[in-house]
């Protein structure tokens, strides 16, 4: 059933006015409450519930308490909509009726209320996960984080739940576990200990879920005296779990423990925990599926905290073939209980990708030879894992391909990987094609980028529905491909992708020669540079869309991302300022949002012509931003408008760096201050980036000789751009 059917049913039930009728029995109304609550028809559910609790027959008032199944279903419906106030009012009505009749309210109702409060707290913390169900989770923002915590902890106080809500016996273990888990996510060790002590004071013993909450709290809170004493001493807690035969860890317990043990270098304890976990799971039904999912989670958790080597060791010993990478038998290996899947390989390849990017950043900052070797090792390990995956007959998915492509360092390697994918008969999805385009662009091969995109246009049916996104990836890949050699000519004879795709040129062709003049994309771009080719294709898109007054049958209508990608592409050309101005005016003509990224890229196209950049800024760019701000109907300042202005100024700082004019940069800093914008260190970094980029175009040693006192102006600019940064965390150190 879809939402239309639900609305029809709601309309029918409203017309029946069940809440005002005594014709239907209470048993039928209870069942109806359960059904409409599950369907999400909240208003009818609450009307029926309230009419049953207090019903009037003439001058007589009759009190009736529905079954717990009925009112808990209604409370769950309220929880799905996040209406904490309505839930509290409903609970008080039920509790009042329970006191009149002399029965107790179900503790499940209390736990549902606690769950709703903790859901709202998770949303405030930014950790709320939406359910797959199509329901609204827009919590009413009437409560702060502290107010929500006070509500939850107040309900756990001895005697309060019994006195106020008629809950027989008060909160139970599930109540405390719900709150403990929510408090653990906040990292507030003081509140966690308060709730835990309340639980012990009421004589409630914890279970494995309580232990999981303790582990989560100890892991998430800051390392301080509070976290290293008492119930949140994670070292003692893990030792108790390992040594106690009465504690049986589940997969969540093991997941949290592995990270701490890996960080402490306690590898032997990791193997012990995993062996015990395997033995327990081997005795359960569907143990292979449970173990497979569990180990996927274990590997991901370790990779996310940077423990890639430990994750690989666990993978070799417990998931793969009980063998190390070099082929020797591991002393800690365990019997194979499940077949590895693409998810396990993806987790590790993702870890090596993360490791590669981190090492590259270290190389750029420190130029350490050891770090370069680490990058190569990460690439070799990732490629070895992929080859192992293929040898074992495990079919990679689209995510595997997107992860392994960045490890290919040349067009030949990318083409060879693509050939393997074709041999495996893996379905070529838009995600895979986008990754291939980006990979060819990263290795500076614009010819292959264009050839692959032409193949997509002529052979892949998804381009008809999945339209502008793929074009945006194409322009972005062209931008990447021109980073080192912006004037590199597009030639298809030596293109690596040509030989691979030639065999399918005349088969299954859906569209051919879609460009004006009965030309293909290859005919249009051959012999041109990446920037010229990209801008020519973009202009063709605009002309075609203008002709049809909408997205063409062959060409989609460009969006803001398209304009931004083309502007970034033009920055690679030293003589693209005229094209950039045309692009800006076309964006205004097509009512494209002038966001900061687009304006920054357009301004950077001016290269070192700071005079032309300032003229365009004063006459066109700045006025466009201010006009859009004045046209806002509500008149409320938008932080995005401020960020757009900051990004545009950063583009001007880049041009001043290219031009070697720190004096103009200093004037820009003063202009930012007059507009109520604080120039930060980022602005000075943009200036320095412009200086470095200009070195590419000068053969001799780069010196500022345009103005006197260059170094003095740079010093003043640095002071002006750093003294106002109130958000710099280094100030608090």
């Amino acid at each position: 059933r879809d939402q239309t059917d639900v609305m029809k049913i709601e309309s029918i039930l409203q017309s029946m006015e069940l809440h005002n009728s005594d014709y239907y029995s209470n048993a039928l109304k209870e069942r109806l409450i359960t059904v409409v609550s599950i369907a999400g028809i909240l208003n009818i559910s609450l009307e029926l519930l309230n009419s049953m609790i207090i019903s009037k027959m003439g001058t007589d008032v009759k009190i009736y308490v529905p079954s717990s199944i009925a009112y808990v279903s209604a409370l769950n419906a309220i929880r799905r909509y996040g209406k904490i106030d309505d839930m509290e009012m409903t609970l008080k009505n039920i509790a009042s009726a329970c006191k009149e009749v002399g029965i107790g309210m179900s503790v499940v109702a209390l736990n549902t209320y606690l769950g709703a409060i903790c859901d709202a707290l998770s949303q405030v913390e930014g950790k709320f996960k939406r359910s797959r169900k199509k329901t609204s989770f827009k919590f009413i923002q009437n409560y702060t984080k502290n107010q929500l915590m006070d509500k939850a902890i107040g309900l756990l106080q001895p005697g309060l739940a019994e006195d106020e809500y008629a809950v027989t016996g008060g909160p139970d273990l599930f109540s405390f576990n719900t709150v403990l888990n929510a408090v653990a996510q906040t990292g507030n060790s003081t509140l966690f200990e308060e709730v835990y002590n309340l639980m012990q004071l009421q004589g409630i013993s914890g279970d494995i879920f309580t232990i999981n909450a303790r582990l989560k709290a100890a892991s998430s809170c800051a390392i301080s005296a509070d976290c290293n004493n008492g119930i949140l001493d994670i070292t003692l807690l893990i030792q108790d779990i390992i040594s106690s035969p009465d504690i049986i860890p589940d997969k969540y317990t093991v997941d949290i423990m592995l990270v701490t043990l890996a960080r402490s270098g306690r590898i032997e304890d990791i193997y012990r925990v995993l062996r015990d976990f395997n033995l327990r799971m081997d005795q359960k039904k569907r143990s292979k599926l449970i173990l497979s999912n569990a180990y996927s989670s274990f590997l991901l958790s370790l990779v996310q905290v940077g423990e890639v080597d430990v994750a690989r060791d666990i993978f070799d010993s417990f998931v793969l073939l009980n063998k190390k990478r070099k082929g020797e038998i591991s002393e800690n290996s365990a019997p194979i209980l499940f077949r590895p899947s693409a998810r396990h390989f993806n987790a590790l390849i993702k870890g090596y990708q993360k490791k590669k990017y981190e090492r590259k950043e270290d190389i750029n900052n420190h130029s350490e030879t050891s770090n370069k070797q680490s990058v190569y090792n990460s690439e070799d390990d990732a490629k070895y894992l992929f080859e192992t995956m293929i040898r074992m007959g495990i079919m990679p998915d689209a995510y595997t391909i997107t992860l392994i492509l960045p490890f290919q360092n040349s067009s030949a390697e990318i083409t060879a990987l693509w050939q393997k994918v074709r041999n495996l008969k893996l379905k070529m999805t838009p995600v895979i094609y986008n990754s291939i385009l980006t990979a060819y662009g990263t290795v500076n091969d614009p010819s292959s980028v264009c050839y692959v995109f032409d193949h997509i246009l002529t052979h892949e049916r998804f381009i008809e529905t999945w339209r502008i996104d793929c074009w945006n990836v194409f322009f972005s890949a062209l931008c990447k491909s021109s980073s080192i050699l912006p004037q590199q000519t597009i030639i298809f004879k030596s293109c690596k992708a040509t030989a691979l795709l030639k065999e399918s040129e005349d088969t299954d062709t859906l569209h051919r020669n879609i460009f004006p003049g009965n030309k293909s994309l290859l005919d249009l771009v051959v012999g041109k540079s990446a920037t010229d080719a990209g801008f020519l294709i973009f202009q063709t898109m605009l002309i075609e869309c203008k002709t049809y007054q909408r997205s063409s049958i062959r060409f989609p209508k460009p969006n803001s991302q398209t304009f931004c990608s083309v502007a970034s592409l033009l920055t690679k050309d030293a003589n693209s300022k005229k094209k950039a101005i045309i692009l800006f005016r076309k964006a205004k003509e097509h009512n494209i949002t002038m966001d900061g990224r687009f304006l920054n890229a357009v301004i950077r196209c001016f290269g070192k012509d700071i005079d032309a950049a300032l003229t365009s800024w004063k006459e066109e760019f700045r006025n466009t931003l201010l006009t859009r701000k004045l046209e806002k109907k509500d008149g409320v300042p938008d932080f995005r408008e401020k960020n757009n202005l900051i990004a545009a100024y950063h583009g001007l700082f880049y041009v001043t760096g290219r031009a070697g004019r720190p004096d103009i940069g200093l004037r820009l800093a003063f202009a930012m201050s007059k507009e109520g914008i604080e120039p930060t260190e980022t602005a000075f970094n943009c200036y320095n980036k412009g200086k470095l980029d200009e070195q590419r175009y000068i053969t001799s040693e780069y010196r500022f000789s345009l103005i006197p006192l260059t170094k003095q102006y740079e010093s003043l600019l640095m002071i002006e751009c750093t003294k106002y940064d109130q958000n710099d965390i280094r100030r608090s150190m």
Side-chain angles (χ1 to χ4, degrees), residues 84-103:
I84 299 175
D85 293 332
D86 289 351
M87 183 177 285
E88 183 176 0
M89 186 181 301
T90 304
L91 269 177
K92 289 182 177 179
N93 291 338
I94 299 171
S96 177
C98 288
K99 291 176 182 178
E100 283 287 334
V101 178
I103 62 175

Side-chain angles (χ1 to χ4, degrees), residues 188-200:
N188 192 324
S189 59
T190 304
L191 278 179
F192 189 91
E193 290 190 11
E194 180 182 345
V195 177
Y196 188 80
N197 291 333
L198 274 174
M199 185 178 72
Q200 290 186 321

Side-chain angles (χ1 to χ4, degrees), residues 121-187:
L121 181 64
S122 297
Q123 190 193 44
V124 172
E125 289 287 316
K127 299 177 181 179
F128 184 76
K129 295 183 179 179
R130 286 179 177 266
S131 169
R132 292 182 181 179
K133 297 181 180 179
K134 296 181 179 179
T135 50
S136 173
F137 286 94
K138 297 179 180 179
F139 291 101
I140 302 173
Q141 300 297 323
N142 292 334
Y143 299 103
T144 64
K145 173 183 170 182
N146 292 334
Q147 288 174 333
L148 291 169
M149 289 307 311
D150 291 341
K151 269 183 172 293
I153 297 175
L155 290 171
L156 301 178
Q157 298 295 331
L160 190 142
E162 293 181 90
D163 297 338
E164 190 168 346
Y165 293 103
V167 178
T168 305
D172 59 3
L173 178 59
F174 191 89
S175 312
F176 281 97
N177 283 341
T178 301
V179 179
L180 284 171
N181 187 66
V183 177
Q185 291 182 354
T186 67

Side-chain angles (χ1 to χ4, degrees), residues 291-515:
L291 275 171
S292 178
N293 293 335
Y295 272 91
S296 174
S297 177
F298 298 162
L299 295 175
L300 280 172
S301 297
L302 290 169
V303 162
Q304 287 173 356
V305 297
E307 295 293 343
V308 183
D309 294 333
V310 177
R312 179 61 186 272
D313 210 15
I314 291 174
F315 179 79
D316 288 333
S317 299
F318 292 90
V319 180
L320 202 52
L321 295 174
N322 296 337
K323 294 181 179 181
K324 294 286 187 179
R325 269 161 279 181
K326 297 181 180 180
E328 71 272 13
I329 300 297
S330 170
E331 297 178 358
N332 295 299
S333 59
I336 303 174
L337 299 176
F338 63 93
R339 178 176 172 79
S341 66
R343 293 173 59 192
H344 303 97
F345 287 91
N346 291 348
L348 280 174
I349 296 174
K350 178 65 177 177
Y352 286 125
Q353 188 185 81
K354 182 180 178 182
K355 193 174 181 180
K356 172 187 175 181
Y357 293 149
E358 289 175 351
R359 295 300 187 187
K360 277 191 173 182
E361 186 176 350
D362 291 341
I363 292 171
N364 295 333
N365 294 334
H366 307 292
S367 300
E368 296 181 4
T369 306
S370 59
N371 284 339
K372 292 183 180 180
Q373 187 62 39
S374 298
V375 172
Y376 298 141
N377 290 341
S378 297
E379 292 178 355
D380 293 340
D381 288 338
K383 292 177 181 178
Y384 177 82
L385 274 176
F386 183 75
E387 294 296 331
T388 302
M389 188 178 183
I390 302 301
R391 286 197 304 269
M392 293 179 65
I394 299 172
M395 180 64 71
D397 55 18
Y399 187 49
T400 313
I401 306 304
T402 61
L403 287 173
I404 199 64
L405 273 169
F407 291 99
Q408 316 308 311
N409 297 315
S410 66
S411 295
E413 291 184 9
I414 296 171
T415 306
L417 176 62
W418 193 0
Q419 182 63 61
K420 290 180 182 177
V421 173
R422 289 166 67 94
N423 293 340
L424 292 170
K425 300 188 182 304
L426 184 65
K427 182 179 180 181
M428 294 297 295
T429 63
V431 174
I432 295 179
Y433 270 120
N434 286 349
S435 300
I436 292 173
L437 287 171
T438 303
Y440 277 125
T442 304
V443 297
N444 306 297
D445 188 355
S447 302
S448 292
V449 171
C450 293
Y451 203 96
V452 173
F453 189 64
D454 179 74
H455 174 79
I456 296 173
L457 292 177
T458 55
H459 291 80
E460 295 297 339
R461 191 172 297 277
F462 69 77
I463 194 65
E464 297 176 358
T465 54
W466 205 79
R467 297 168 64 77
I468 191 58
D469 295 322
C470 199
W471 286 81
N472 290 343
V473 173
F474 166 66
F475 286 120
S476 178
L478 273 183
C479 179
K480 292 177 184 293
S481 68
S482 57
S483 297
I484 297 178
L485 299 172
Q487 300 302 321
Q488 181 181 359
T489 303
I490 296 175
I491 303 175
F492 297 114
K493 289 184 178 180
S494 59
C495 172
K496 295 297 180 182
T498 303
L500 180 63
L501 297 174
K502 187 182 295 185
E503 60 188 38
S504 60
E505 282 184 349
D506 299 322
T507 60
D508 301 327
T509 302
L510 298 174
H511 312 283
R512 186 174 289 279
N513 301 335
I514 66 172
F515 285 84

